[in-house]
Amino acid sequence: MVQSPSLERPSPEVSARAWLMLALATVGFAVNFWAWALLSPLGPRFKDDLDLSSFEQSLLVAVPVVVGSLGRIPVGALTDRYGGRVMFPLVSAATVVPVLYVGLAGHDSLAALLVGGFFLGIGGTAFAVGVPFVSAWFPPERRGMAIGVFGMGMGGTAISALTTVKLVDAYGTANPFLVCTAVLVVYAVVAALVLRDAPGRTAPTEPLLRRLADALRLPLTWQASTLYAVAFGGYVAFSVYLPTYLKTAYGLTQTDASNRMAGFVLLAVAMRPAGGWLSDRIGPVRVLSGSLAVVVVSALVQSSTPSLAPVGTIAFLTMAAALGAGSGATFAFVALLAPRGRTGSVTGVVGAAGGLGGFVPPLVMGSLYGAYGSYALGLLLLAAVALAALVFTETVVRRAVTRRIPATQHN
């Protein structure tokens, strides 16, 4: 279906203030995601130091994911009510506490790390703040691109991958946590002073629980949640588990594995705005279908554990690009069809689904490897899930977009 941007575009330009707000939101997302992902690169080290099983190591890196995911539901609804100007500094300041705890005291036992990881999940909720905040600053025909650019903040996981192990080796375990704390504090102050909500933003008056219930009744919420659980969930799963996978399956050193994971993350990050931009032009359904098809093929190829150079590397990088584009397309779909005043609530639920989609695979991969000594079955399961999501996109989601675009053009 061809959309008609002229029906909604009040002017051909987006204000300089809107671009500034987008940039600040993206930086905030990246900084909080950096904190969220601090445990992942250290997973192999903690496994050796604390004599953890494969499942315990997987649980350690997955706990921040699930907490950050579930936390997006109330945080998204609170953002609808109080706005990103309040919520971005608040989330960033709250994340400082668990970062300091893990760095200074909470890394000597599995129990302490799980407690710290639980509260590190606060950083993962920043996503549910940024989507409604950015969406309100941009006209509908530019939201796919804008939210895709904001989504590049998930590159905060690459910052963690590239710096955490090196800083620990050079200066001790506390160092990367102290550095991240300093950046979080600076961002929280800058955000409190500079961020502004979009002009004309009206806060909903309904109670939080009622707004969440209304969002849960929308078919859009469940359709987008299903897609995001696969697209972003796949990205999250590999961003936290890839160092372990590469060290176990290919015998790479911890530093080499973390660097390769950073390459995976950076490519996915770069493709997220591309997915949003393409969705603005050819529609999110086409972008999602193409992305999911690529994931199916890449997972099937990697299931045989081919040589890392070049086949394995190509398979993982291709999968990274597809997952990044699919994540961007999913929120282009949300921005296109979400009712006014409910974007934050819908985003919170969808973001939670995406994070939870990333929680399960590391546990499955660790358990299957512990049982069979191979990751093949886990990758075949990924291919099957992506194929099911592709069929869902071409049937249910395509019908929803075809039916509802005319109504949204007149919002």
Side-chain angles (χ1 to χ4, degrees), residues 21-37 68 72 88-89 91-92 95 122-131 133-134 146-159 180 184 187 191 195 228 232 235-236 269 272 327 331 347 351:
M21 295 301 106
L22 172 59
L24 286 172
T26 304
V27 171
F29 183 23
V31 170
N32 280 278
F33 250 43
W34 174 12
W36 193 38
R72 292 174 186 178
F88 253 127
V91 167
S92 301
T95 304
I122 296 170
T125 68
F127 178 77
V129 178
V131 171
F133 175 79
V134 169
I147 295 173
V149 171
F150 167 73
M152 293 179 71
M154 67 187 190
T157 55
I159 300 175
C180 186
L184 280 167
Y187 178 77
L195 280 184
Y228 206 54
F232 186 70
Y235 160 79
V236 170
V269 167
R272 183 153 183 162
S327 297
F331 270 95
T347 295

Short mmCIF file of all heavy atoms in Angstrom, two decimals, residues 21-37 68 72 88-89 91-92 95 122-131 133-134 146-159 180 184 187 191 195 228 232 235-236 269 272 327 331 347 351:
data_model
loop_
_atom_site.label_atom_id
_atom_site.label_comp_id
_atom_site.label_asym_id
_atom_site.label_seq_id
_atom_site.Cartn_x
_atom_site.Cartn_y
_atom_site.Cartn_z
N MET A 21 16.83 17.03 20.39
CA MET A 21 16.20 16.11 21.34
C MET A 21 16.46 14.65 20.94
O MET A 21 16.70 13.80 21.80
CB MET A 21 14.70 16.38 21.42
CG MET A 21 14.31 17.74 21.98
SD MET A 21 14.93 18.03 23.66
CE MET A 21 16.27 19.18 23.33
N LEU A 22 16.42 14.38 19.64
CA LEU A 22 16.71 13.03 19.16
C LEU A 22 18.14 12.63 19.52
O LEU A 22 18.39 11.52 19.99
CB LEU A 22 16.50 12.95 17.64
CG LEU A 22 16.93 11.66 16.96
CD1 LEU A 22 16.19 10.45 17.54
CD2 LEU A 22 16.69 11.75 15.45
N ALA A 23 19.08 13.55 19.31
CA ALA A 23 20.49 13.25 19.62
C ALA A 23 20.68 12.98 21.11
O ALA A 23 21.36 12.01 21.50
CB ALA A 23 21.37 14.41 19.18
N LEU A 24 20.08 13.82 21.96
CA LEU A 24 20.23 13.63 23.41
C LEU A 24 19.57 12.33 23.88
O LEU A 24 20.10 11.63 24.75
CB LEU A 24 19.62 14.82 24.14
CG LEU A 24 20.43 16.13 24.09
CD1 LEU A 24 19.63 17.27 24.70
CD2 LEU A 24 21.76 15.97 24.81
N ALA A 25 18.41 12.01 23.31
CA ALA A 25 17.74 10.76 23.67
C ALA A 25 18.57 9.55 23.25
O ALA A 25 18.68 8.57 23.99
CB ALA A 25 16.35 10.70 23.03
N THR A 26 19.19 9.62 22.08
CA THR A 26 20.01 8.52 21.59
C THR A 26 21.22 8.31 22.48
O THR A 26 21.58 7.17 22.81
CB THR A 26 20.44 8.78 20.14
OG1 THR A 26 19.29 9.01 19.32
CG2 THR A 26 21.23 7.61 19.57
N VAL A 27 21.86 9.40 22.87
CA VAL A 27 23.00 9.30 23.79
C VAL A 27 22.56 8.69 25.12
O VAL A 27 23.24 7.82 25.68
CB VAL A 27 23.65 10.68 24.02
CG1 VAL A 27 24.68 10.62 25.14
CG2 VAL A 27 24.29 11.18 22.73
N GLY A 28 21.40 9.12 25.63
CA GLY A 28 20.90 8.57 26.88
C GLY A 28 20.62 7.09 26.80
O GLY A 28 20.92 6.33 27.73
N PHE A 29 20.05 6.68 25.68
CA PHE A 29 19.79 5.25 25.46
C PHE A 29 21.09 4.48 25.45
O PHE A 29 21.23 3.42 26.09
CB PHE A 29 19.04 5.11 24.13
CG PHE A 29 18.61 3.71 23.78
CD1 PHE A 29 18.45 2.72 24.73
CD2 PHE A 29 18.35 3.38 22.45
CE1 PHE A 29 18.04 1.44 24.39
CE2 PHE A 29 17.94 2.11 22.10
CZ PHE A 29 17.80 1.13 23.06
N ALA A 30 22.11 5.02 24.74
CA ALA A 30 23.40 4.33 24.64
C ALA A 30 24.07 4.20 26.00
O ALA A 30 24.61 3.14 26.36
CB ALA A 30 24.31 5.06 23.67
N VAL A 31 24.06 5.26 26.78
CA VAL A 31 24.72 5.24 28.09
C VAL A 31 24.05 4.24 29.02
O VAL A 31 24.71 3.46 29.73
CB VAL A 31 24.70 6.66 28.70
CG1 VAL A 31 25.17 6.61 30.16
CG2 VAL A 31 25.57 7.60 27.89
N ASN A 32 22.72 4.24 29.04
CA ASN A 32 22.01 3.31 29.91
C ASN A 32 22.16 1.87 29.44
O ASN A 32 22.24 0.95 30.25
CB ASN A 32 20.53 3.70 30.00
CG ASN A 32 20.28 4.83 30.97
OD1 ASN A 32 20.19 4.62 32.17
ND2 ASN A 32 20.21 6.05 30.44
N PHE A 33 22.21 1.66 28.12
CA PHE A 33 22.44 0.31 27.61
C PHE A 33 23.86 -0.16 27.89
O PHE A 33 24.10 -1.36 28.06
CB PHE A 33 22.14 0.27 26.11
CG PHE A 33 20.90 -0.52 25.78
CD1 PHE A 33 19.75 -0.37 26.53
CD2 PHE A 33 20.87 -1.40 24.71
CE1 PHE A 33 18.60 -1.09 26.23
CE2 PHE A 33 19.73 -2.13 24.40
CZ PHE A 33 18.60 -1.97 25.17
N TRP A 34 24.79 0.74 27.90
CA TRP A 34 26.17 0.41 28.30
C TRP A 34 26.16 -0.18 29.71
O TRP A 34 26.74 -1.24 29.96
CB TRP A 34 27.01 1.68 28.22
CG TRP A 34 28.42 1.58 28.71
CD1 TRP A 34 29.13 0.45 29.02
CD2 TRP A 34 29.30 2.69 28.94
NE1 TRP A 34 30.40 0.78 29.43
CE2 TRP A 34 30.54 2.15 29.38
CE3 TRP A 34 29.18 4.06 28.81
CZ2 TRP A 34 31.63 2.96 29.71
CZ3 TRP A 34 30.27 4.86 29.12
CH2 TRP A 34 31.48 4.32 29.57
N ALA A 35 25.48 0.51 30.62
CA ALA A 35 25.38 0.01 31.99
C ALA A 35 24.66 -1.33 32.04
O ALA A 35 25.06 -2.25 32.78
CB ALA A 35 24.65 1.04 32.86
N TRP A 36 23.60 -1.44 31.27
CA TRP A 36 22.79 -2.66 31.24
C TRP A 36 23.61 -3.87 30.83
O TRP A 36 23.36 -5.00 31.28
CB TRP A 36 21.63 -2.43 30.27
CG TRP A 36 20.51 -3.42 30.31
CD1 TRP A 36 19.98 -4.02 31.41
CD2 TRP A 36 19.75 -3.89 29.20
NE1 TRP A 36 18.92 -4.84 31.05
CE2 TRP A 36 18.77 -4.77 29.70
CE3 TRP A 36 19.79 -3.64 27.83
CZ2 TRP A 36 17.85 -5.42 28.87
CZ3 TRP A 36 18.86 -4.27 27.01
CH2 TRP A 36 17.91 -5.15 27.54
N ALA A 37 24.61 -3.64 29.97
CA ALA A 37 25.36 -4.76 29.37
C ALA A 37 26.73 -4.99 30.01
O ALA A 37 27.53 -5.73 29.46
CB ALA A 37 25.54 -4.50 27.86
N GLY A 68 15.20 -5.54 32.92
CA GLY A 68 15.10 -4.36 32.07
C GLY A 68 13.92 -4.44 31.13
O GLY A 68 13.33 -3.42 30.77
N ARG A 72 10.19 -2.07 31.46
CA ARG A 72 9.75 -1.14 30.41
C ARG A 72 8.24 -0.92 30.43
O ARG A 72 7.76 0.11 29.96
CB ARG A 72 10.18 -1.68 29.04
CG ARG A 72 11.66 -1.66 28.82
CD ARG A 72 12.05 -2.33 27.53
NE ARG A 72 13.51 -2.41 27.42
CZ ARG A 72 14.15 -2.98 26.42
NH1 ARG A 72 13.45 -3.54 25.43
NH2 ARG A 72 15.46 -3.01 26.37
N PHE A 88 14.03 10.44 31.62
CA PHE A 88 15.40 10.13 31.22
C PHE A 88 16.41 10.40 32.34
O PHE A 88 17.23 9.54 32.69
CB PHE A 88 15.79 10.89 29.96
CG PHE A 88 15.86 10.03 28.73
CD1 PHE A 88 15.16 10.37 27.59
CD2 PHE A 88 16.64 8.88 28.70
CE1 PHE A 88 15.21 9.57 26.45
CE2 PHE A 88 16.71 8.08 27.57
CZ PHE A 88 15.99 8.43 26.44
N PRO A 89 16.38 11.60 32.98
CA PRO A 89 17.30 11.80 34.10
C PRO A 89 17.03 10.85 35.26
O PRO A 89 17.98 10.39 35.92
CB PRO A 89 17.02 13.26 34.52
CG PRO A 89 16.41 13.90 33.33
CD PRO A 89 15.62 12.82 32.64
N VAL A 91 15.75 7.68 35.27
CA VAL A 91 16.25 6.33 34.98
C VAL A 91 17.77 6.30 35.02
O VAL A 91 18.38 5.37 35.58
CB VAL A 91 15.72 5.85 33.61
CG1 VAL A 91 16.47 4.60 33.15
CG2 VAL A 91 14.22 5.57 33.69
N SER A 92 18.42 7.32 34.45
CA SER A 92 19.88 7.35 34.42
C SER A 92 20.45 7.44 35.83
O SER A 92 21.43 6.75 36.17
CB SER A 92 20.36 8.53 33.58
OG SER A 92 19.86 8.45 32.25
N THR A 95 20.11 4.14 37.73
CA THR A 95 21.03 3.09 37.25
C THR A 95 22.40 3.21 37.90
O THR A 95 23.15 2.21 37.98
CB THR A 95 21.14 3.15 35.72
OG1 THR A 95 19.83 3.04 35.15
CG2 THR A 95 22.00 2.03 35.17
N ILE A 122 17.47 -1.78 35.41
CA ILE A 122 16.87 -0.44 35.31
C ILE A 122 17.36 0.28 34.06
O ILE A 122 16.59 0.97 33.38
CB ILE A 122 17.19 0.39 36.57
CG1 ILE A 122 16.56 -0.24 37.81
CG2 ILE A 122 16.71 1.84 36.42
CD1 ILE A 122 17.02 0.38 39.12
N GLY A 123 18.63 0.11 33.74
CA GLY A 123 19.18 0.78 32.56
C GLY A 123 18.48 0.36 31.28
O GLY A 123 18.35 1.15 30.34
N GLY A 124 18.02 -0.88 31.24
CA GLY A 124 17.35 -1.37 30.04
C GLY A 124 15.99 -0.75 29.80
O GLY A 124 15.45 -0.85 28.70
N THR A 125 15.42 -0.09 30.82
CA THR A 125 14.10 0.52 30.64
C THR A 125 14.16 1.83 29.88
O THR A 125 13.12 2.38 29.51
CB THR A 125 13.42 0.77 32.00
OG1 THR A 125 14.13 1.79 32.72
CG2 THR A 125 13.39 -0.50 32.85
N ALA A 126 15.37 2.37 29.66
CA ALA A 126 15.50 3.66 28.96
C ALA A 126 14.86 3.63 27.58
O ALA A 126 14.41 4.66 27.07
CB ALA A 126 16.98 4.04 28.85
N PHE A 127 14.82 2.47 26.97
CA PHE A 127 14.22 2.35 25.64
C PHE A 127 12.76 2.80 25.65
O PHE A 127 12.30 3.48 24.73
CB PHE A 127 14.30 0.90 25.16
CG PHE A 127 13.67 0.67 23.83
CD1 PHE A 127 14.30 1.05 22.67
CD2 PHE A 127 12.42 0.06 23.73
CE1 PHE A 127 13.71 0.86 21.43
CE2 PHE A 127 11.83 -0.15 22.50
CZ PHE A 127 12.48 0.25 21.35
N ALA A 128 12.02 2.43 26.70
CA ALA A 128 10.60 2.77 26.77
C ALA A 128 10.38 4.25 27.05
O ALA A 128 9.27 4.76 26.88
CB ALA A 128 9.91 1.94 27.85
N VAL A 129 11.43 4.95 27.49
CA VAL A 129 11.35 6.40 27.65
C VAL A 129 11.55 7.08 26.30
O VAL A 129 10.84 8.02 25.93
CB VAL A 129 12.41 6.90 28.65
CG1 VAL A 129 12.36 8.43 28.77
CG2 VAL A 129 12.22 6.25 30.01
N GLY A 130 12.52 6.61 25.54
CA GLY A 130 12.93 7.30 24.33
C GLY A 130 11.95 7.22 23.17
O GLY A 130 11.79 8.18 22.42
N VAL A 131 11.30 6.07 22.99
CA VAL A 131 10.42 5.93 21.82
C VAL A 131 9.26 6.93 21.84
O VAL A 131 9.05 7.66 20.87
CB VAL A 131 9.92 4.48 21.67
CG1 VAL A 131 8.83 4.40 20.60
CG2 VAL A 131 11.07 3.56 21.30
N PHE A 133 9.08 9.67 23.58
CA PHE A 133 9.67 11.01 23.61
C PHE A 133 10.06 11.46 22.20
O PHE A 133 9.72 12.57 21.76
CB PHE A 133 10.89 11.00 24.52
CG PHE A 133 11.66 12.29 24.55
CD1 PHE A 133 11.21 13.36 25.29
CD2 PHE A 133 12.84 12.42 23.83
CE1 PHE A 133 11.92 14.56 25.31
CE2 PHE A 133 13.56 13.60 23.84
CZ PHE A 133 13.10 14.69 24.58
N VAL A 134 10.78 10.61 21.47
CA VAL A 134 11.21 10.95 20.11
C VAL A 134 10.02 11.02 19.16
O VAL A 134 9.92 11.92 18.33
CB VAL A 134 12.25 9.92 19.62
CG1 VAL A 134 12.51 10.08 18.12
CG2 VAL A 134 13.54 10.06 20.41
N ALA A 146 13.26 8.40 12.58
CA ALA A 146 13.68 8.99 13.86
C ALA A 146 13.84 7.92 14.94
O ALA A 146 14.84 7.91 15.68
CB ALA A 146 12.68 10.05 14.30
N ILE A 147 12.88 7.02 15.03
CA ILE A 147 12.97 5.98 16.05
C ILE A 147 14.09 5.00 15.71
O ILE A 147 14.75 4.44 16.60
CB ILE A 147 11.62 5.27 16.20
CG1 ILE A 147 10.58 6.26 16.75
CG2 ILE A 147 11.72 4.07 17.14
CD1 ILE A 147 9.17 5.72 16.79
N GLY A 148 14.34 4.80 14.42
CA GLY A 148 15.47 3.98 14.03
C GLY A 148 16.79 4.58 14.46
O GLY A 148 17.69 3.89 14.94
N VAL A 149 16.93 5.91 14.30
CA VAL A 149 18.14 6.59 14.75
C VAL A 149 18.26 6.47 16.27
O VAL A 149 19.34 6.16 16.80
CB VAL A 149 18.12 8.08 14.33
CG1 VAL A 149 19.26 8.85 15.00
CG2 VAL A 149 18.24 8.20 12.81
N PHE A 150 17.17 6.70 16.98
CA PHE A 150 17.19 6.53 18.43
C PHE A 150 17.62 5.11 18.80
O PHE A 150 18.39 4.91 19.74
CB PHE A 150 15.81 6.83 19.02
CG PHE A 150 15.66 6.39 20.44
CD1 PHE A 150 16.29 7.08 21.47
CD2 PHE A 150 14.92 5.26 20.77
CE1 PHE A 150 16.17 6.66 22.79
CE2 PHE A 150 14.79 4.84 22.08
CZ PHE A 150 15.43 5.55 23.09
N GLY A 151 17.15 4.14 18.04
CA GLY A 151 17.48 2.75 18.31
C GLY A 151 18.96 2.45 18.19
O GLY A 151 19.44 1.43 18.71
N MET A 152 19.73 3.34 17.53
CA MET A 152 21.17 3.14 17.47
C MET A 152 21.81 3.19 18.86
O MET A 152 22.94 2.74 19.05
CB MET A 152 21.81 4.19 16.56
CG MET A 152 21.43 4.06 15.10
SD MET A 152 22.19 5.34 14.06
CE MET A 152 23.91 4.79 14.10
N GLY A 153 21.06 3.73 19.81
CA GLY A 153 21.57 3.74 21.18
C GLY A 153 21.82 2.36 21.75
O GLY A 153 22.55 2.22 22.73
N MET A 154 21.22 1.34 21.12
CA MET A 154 21.51 -0.02 21.58
C MET A 154 22.97 -0.37 21.36
O MET A 154 23.47 -1.37 21.89
CB MET A 154 20.60 -1.04 20.89
CG MET A 154 20.81 -1.22 19.41
SD MET A 154 19.52 -2.32 18.72
CE MET A 154 20.17 -2.62 17.06
N GLY A 155 23.69 0.50 20.64
CA GLY A 155 25.14 0.34 20.49
C GLY A 155 25.88 0.52 21.80
O GLY A 155 27.09 0.28 21.86
N GLY A 156 25.17 0.93 22.86
CA GLY A 156 25.81 0.97 24.17
C GLY A 156 26.36 -0.39 24.56
O GLY A 156 27.36 -0.47 25.31
N THR A 157 25.75 -1.45 24.07
CA THR A 157 26.28 -2.78 24.35
C THR A 157 27.64 -2.98 23.69
O THR A 157 28.48 -3.72 24.19
CB THR A 157 25.31 -3.87 23.88
OG1 THR A 157 25.00 -3.69 22.51
CG2 THR A 157 24.02 -3.82 24.68
N ALA A 158 27.87 -2.30 22.55
CA ALA A 158 29.18 -2.39 21.89
C ALA A 158 30.24 -1.66 22.71
O ALA A 158 31.39 -2.10 22.78
CB ALA A 158 29.09 -1.81 20.48
N ILE A 159 29.86 -0.53 23.32
CA ILE A 159 30.81 0.16 24.20
C ILE A 159 31.27 -0.78 25.30
O ILE A 159 32.46 -0.88 25.61
CB ILE A 159 30.16 1.42 24.80
CG1 ILE A 159 29.73 2.40 23.71
CG2 ILE A 159 31.13 2.11 25.77
CD1 ILE A 159 28.97 3.60 24.23
N CYS A 180 31.60 4.04 33.84
CA CYS A 180 30.20 4.10 33.42
C CYS A 180 29.37 4.96 34.39
O CYS A 180 28.50 5.73 33.97
CB CYS A 180 29.62 2.69 33.34
SG CYS A 180 27.96 2.61 32.66
N LEU A 184 27.08 8.20 33.41
CA LEU A 184 25.66 8.24 33.76
C LEU A 184 25.31 9.51 34.53
O LEU A 184 24.28 10.15 34.28
CB LEU A 184 25.29 7.02 34.60
CG LEU A 184 25.05 5.70 33.86
CD1 LEU A 184 25.02 4.55 34.86
CD2 LEU A 184 23.74 5.75 33.08
N TYR A 187 25.36 12.49 32.18
CA TYR A 187 24.19 12.50 31.30
C TYR A 187 22.93 12.89 32.06
O TYR A 187 22.10 13.67 31.57
CB TYR A 187 23.97 11.15 30.63
CG TYR A 187 22.71 11.19 29.78
CD1 TYR A 187 22.73 11.83 28.55
CD2 TYR A 187 21.51 10.69 30.25
CE1 TYR A 187 21.58 11.95 27.79
CE2 TYR A 187 20.35 10.80 29.50
CZ TYR A 187 20.40 11.43 28.27
OH TYR A 187 19.24 11.56 27.52
N ALA A 191 20.71 15.95 30.84
CA ALA A 191 19.33 15.68 30.43
C ALA A 191 18.35 16.52 31.25
O ALA A 191 17.38 17.06 30.72
CB ALA A 191 19.02 14.20 30.59
N LEU A 195 16.89 18.59 28.15
CA LEU A 195 15.76 17.90 27.52
C LEU A 195 14.45 18.66 27.71
O LEU A 195 14.19 19.22 28.78
CB LEU A 195 15.59 16.49 28.08
CG LEU A 195 16.50 15.38 27.57
CD1 LEU A 195 16.10 14.05 28.19
CD2 LEU A 195 16.45 15.27 26.05
N TYR A 228 8.86 -8.16 17.77
CA TYR A 228 10.02 -7.62 18.47
C TYR A 228 10.70 -8.67 19.33
O TYR A 228 11.92 -8.63 19.54
CB TYR A 228 9.59 -6.43 19.33
CG TYR A 228 10.68 -5.43 19.58
CD1 TYR A 228 11.38 -4.86 18.52
CD2 TYR A 228 11.02 -5.04 20.87
CE1 TYR A 228 12.39 -3.93 18.75
CE2 TYR A 228 12.02 -4.12 21.11
CZ TYR A 228 12.70 -3.57 20.05
OH TYR A 228 13.70 -2.65 20.27
N PHE A 232 14.37 -8.03 18.01
CA PHE A 232 15.24 -7.46 19.04
C PHE A 232 15.68 -8.52 20.04
O PHE A 232 16.80 -8.48 20.54
CB PHE A 232 14.52 -6.32 19.76
CG PHE A 232 15.40 -5.60 20.73
CD1 PHE A 232 16.44 -4.80 20.28
CD2 PHE A 232 15.21 -5.72 22.09
CE1 PHE A 232 17.26 -4.13 21.17
CE2 PHE A 232 16.03 -5.07 23.00
CZ PHE A 232 17.06 -4.26 22.53
N TYR A 235 18.68 -10.12 18.73
CA TYR A 235 19.84 -9.24 18.89
C TYR A 235 20.36 -9.27 20.32
O TYR A 235 21.56 -9.42 20.58
CB TYR A 235 19.46 -7.82 18.49
CG TYR A 235 20.40 -6.78 19.07
CD1 TYR A 235 21.64 -6.54 18.49
CD2 TYR A 235 20.06 -6.07 20.22
CE1 TYR A 235 22.52 -5.62 19.03
CE2 TYR A 235 20.94 -5.16 20.77
CZ TYR A 235 22.16 -4.93 20.17
OH TYR A 235 23.02 -4.03 20.72
N VAL A 236 19.45 -9.12 21.29
CA VAL A 236 19.84 -9.11 22.69
C VAL A 236 20.50 -10.43 23.07
O VAL A 236 21.54 -10.47 23.75
CB VAL A 236 18.64 -8.83 23.61
CG1 VAL A 236 19.00 -9.06 25.07
CG2 VAL A 236 18.14 -7.41 23.42
N VAL A 269 23.28 -2.21 15.03
CA VAL A 269 22.96 -0.82 15.36
C VAL A 269 22.85 0.03 14.09
O VAL A 269 21.93 0.84 13.93
CB VAL A 269 24.04 -0.24 16.30
CG1 VAL A 269 23.93 1.27 16.40
CG2 VAL A 269 23.93 -0.88 17.67
N ARG A 272 19.59 -0.57 12.17
CA ARG A 272 18.29 -0.24 12.76
C ARG A 272 17.68 1.01 12.14
O ARG A 272 16.51 0.99 11.76
CB ARG A 272 18.44 -0.09 14.27
CG ARG A 272 17.11 0.17 14.95
CD ARG A 272 17.08 -0.31 16.36
NE ARG A 272 15.78 -0.11 16.95
CZ ARG A 272 15.33 -0.71 18.03
NH1 ARG A 272 16.10 -1.59 18.63
NH2 ARG A 272 14.14 -0.47 18.51
N SER A 327 14.30 -4.87 13.81
CA SER A 327 13.96 -4.11 15.01
C SER A 327 13.49 -2.71 14.65
O SER A 327 12.51 -2.20 15.20
CB SER A 327 15.17 -4.03 15.94
OG SER A 327 15.56 -5.31 16.39
N PHE A 331 9.31 -0.97 15.11
CA PHE A 331 8.85 0.27 15.73
C PHE A 331 8.39 1.30 14.72
O PHE A 331 7.66 2.24 15.07
CB PHE A 331 9.89 0.81 16.71
CG PHE A 331 9.66 0.25 18.08
CD1 PHE A 331 10.34 -0.87 18.49
CD2 PHE A 331 8.72 0.80 18.91
CE1 PHE A 331 10.10 -1.42 19.74
CE2 PHE A 331 8.46 0.26 20.16
CZ PHE A 331 9.15 -0.86 20.57
N THR A 347 4.75 0.96 23.68
CA THR A 347 6.20 0.76 23.58
C THR A 347 6.72 -0.05 24.76
O THR A 347 7.58 -0.92 24.61
CB THR A 347 6.92 2.12 23.53
OG1 THR A 347 6.55 2.79 22.33
CG2 THR A 347 8.43 1.94 23.57
N GLY A 351 8.54 -3.34 24.07
CA GLY A 351 9.95 -3.40 24.48
C GLY A 351 10.20 -4.52 25.47
O GLY A 351 11.24 -5.18 25.42
#
